Amino acid sequence: MSQQIAAKKNTEFTKEPVTPCGSCLQVMAEFEAEWNKELDVYLYGENKVFHVKGVKHFLPFLFKSDFLVSKAWFFLRYDFANYALPRPYFE
């Protein structure tokens, strides 16, 4: 499966390739997880074309649903009494 990404400015394609937005990346990541298959992503620009295998290269710390299940024990057992939230930058 492949996904092609391109952008136009006025009536011409951009000179350099553009990356997909966060929403598009999330949809592609969910597709990969659902079908257990990496997408071939092609980023098109008039000067060059990039081929990227899998969304993980765009989102190295991708949020996945299995994170909630596998890490839930940490949140349930963590001693929040000894945890101090950082002070906000504004008050």
Side-chain angles (χ1 to χ4, degrees):
M1 308 276 324
S2 67
Q3 180 69 41
Q4 296 83 31
I5 309 292
K8 281 190 171 185
K9 183 177 181 183
N10 298 325
T11 59
E12 298 179 5
F13 284 106
T14 57
K15 300 290 183 200
E16 300 297 319
V18 297
T19 59
C21 71
S23 295
C24 292
L25 288 171
Q26 185 63 39
V27 169
M28 290 190 294
E30 290 174 14
F31 178 88
E32 286 184 347
E34 178 72 24
W35 293 96
N36 198 25
K37 194 172 198 177
E38 288 185 329
L39 286 172
D40 288 305
V41 181
Y42 294 91
L43 308 175
Y44 176 81
E46 285 190 0
N47 293 338
K48 61 182 101 170
V49 176
F50 292 126
H51 171 238
V52 180
K53 183 74 171 173
V55 177
K56 66 182 177 235
H57 298 291
F58 296 105
L59 300 168
F61 302 107
L62 177 66
F63 177 81
K64 299 182 207 172
S65 61
D66 61 339
F67 174 81
L68 294 174
V69 175
S70 65
K71 305 294 184 200
W73 64 268
F74 173 79
F75 295 110
L76 293 174
R77 299 191 63 185
Y78 191 79
D79 181 8
F80 287 104
N82 295 324
Y83 180 75
L85 292 173
R87 295 190 62 141
Y89 294 109
F90 55 90
E91 293 191 21

